[in-house]
């Protein structure tokens, strides 16, 4: 298996609707949503509570299927897939980052990052190498054997980002990833997303915080289940707005526990 195909959209939603039955009534959580996300884009999805962000995230993440419309994820028509096939697509194509980190307690950072590779059937030595490299890439070299409880919130979220990226997914999908963090850890984690974007990864990040959306190349606003605004801040092929000046991806990059990102 190679990495994501650079020629086709990672996400193509066309006229997607999602209805929920609520007693006698129907809630139109999403109405006619169309959205194309190209490889290398960094999209922030914003909207007030109840606007449909989580529903959209669940559809994009193949955690839920649309009531109508079309969805291709990295070229796969997800409408045709049953529950088991959706689970496989999810684990192969998407790296998830959640607000609550969702690390396994009493399990080292390294074992947490190795876990998706266990599910993918990667053998032990390669698993270890890839998980070590992923932790180094998020600035946690030397902390591989720490338990989540021994790490700060920002560091735990960095472990979760390493876990999301270790499978080399087509899409990094984050739901309020800084919602549980103080402002300095928020800046630290967003600097890491910026760096990940600069390496060419495709990111969709759901947030209601303006400060967080400032890191994205494109800002999509949702209201009452519809996309009401779609603003391109930076072209897909360029670095995100808050990037390392003169950054060279061939040079190792370290993210210190707090503060600015520095190249080493
Ligand atoms: P957001 O994440 O932006 O707060 P949601 O996607 O969670 O918005 O919700 C959008 C709308 O759909 C809301 O009106 C919500 O009450 C409704 N909704 C979401 N999930 C369900 C569900 N499982 N059953 C019924 N209504 C739902
Ligand atoms: Mg929500």
């Amino acid at each position: 298996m190679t990495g994501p195909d650079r020629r086709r959209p990672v996400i193509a939603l066309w006229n997607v609707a999602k209805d929920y039955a609520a007693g006698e009534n129907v809630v139109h959580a999403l109405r006619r949503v169309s959205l194309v996300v190209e490889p290398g884009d960094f999209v922030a999805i914003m909207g007030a509570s109840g606007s449909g962000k989580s529903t959209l995230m669940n559809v994009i993440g193949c955690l839920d299927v649309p009531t109508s419309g079309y969805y291709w994820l990295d070229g796969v028509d997800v409408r045709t897939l049953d529950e088991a096939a959706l689970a496989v697509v999810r684990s192969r194509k998407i790296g998830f980052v959640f607000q609550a980190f969702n690390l396994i307690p009493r399990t080292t950072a390294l074992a947490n990052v190795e876990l998706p590779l266990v599910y993918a059937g990667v053998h032990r030595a390669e698993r270890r190498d890839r998980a070590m490299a992923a932790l180094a890439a998020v600035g946690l070299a030397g902390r591989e054997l720490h338990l989540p409880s021994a790490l700060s919130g920002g560091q735990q979220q960095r472990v979760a980002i390493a876990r999301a990226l270790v499978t080399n997914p087509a899409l990094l999908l984050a739901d309020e990833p800084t919602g549980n963090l103080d402002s300095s850890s928020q800046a630290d984690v967003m600097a890491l997303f910026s760096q990940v974007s600069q390496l060419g990864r495709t990111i969709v990040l759901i947030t209601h915080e303006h400060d967080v959306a400032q890191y994205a190349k494109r800002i999509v606003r949702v209201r009452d289940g519809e996309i009401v605004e779609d603003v391109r801040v930076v072209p897909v092929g360029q670095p995100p707005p808050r990037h390392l000046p003169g950054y060279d991806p061939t040079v190792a990059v370290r993210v210190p526990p707090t503060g600015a990102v520095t190249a080493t």
Side-chain angles (χ1 to χ4, degrees), residues 174-236:
D175 189 11
E176 300 280 2
T178 62
N180 281 9
L181 300 176
D182 61 37
S183 55
S184 113
S185 300
Q186 170 171 308
D188 170 41
V189 163
M190 289 317 299
L192 177 56
F193 272 102
S194 214
Q195 179 190 330
V196 166
S197 170
Q198 220 168 334
L199 289 167
R201 293 274 179 190
T202 310
I203 305 172
V204 172
L205 184 155
I206 289 163
T207 184
H208 64 270
E209 289 178 85
H210 190 68
D211 286 357
V212 170
Q214 296 305 300
Y215 288 82
K217 297 182 187 180
R218 175 182 175 193
I219 302 178
V220 170
R221 274 178 211 282
V222 179
R223 189 190 301 148
D224 295 333
E226 287 183 294
I227 291 175
V228 292
E229 194 178 73
D230 188 343
V231 175
R232 165 67 56 201
V233 182
V234 170
V236 179

Side-chain angles (χ1 to χ4, degrees), residues 49-50 52-55 175-176 206:
S49 179
K53 299 184 301 297
S54 293
T55 306
D175 189 11
E176 300 280 2
I206 289 163

Side-chain angles (χ1 to χ4, degrees), residues 20-22 27-30 47-56 64 206 222 225:
Y20 291 111
V27 177
H28 302 291
L30 292 178
S49 179
S51 58
K53 299 184 301 297
S54 293
T55 306
L56 184 54
D64 207 346
I206 289 163
V222 179

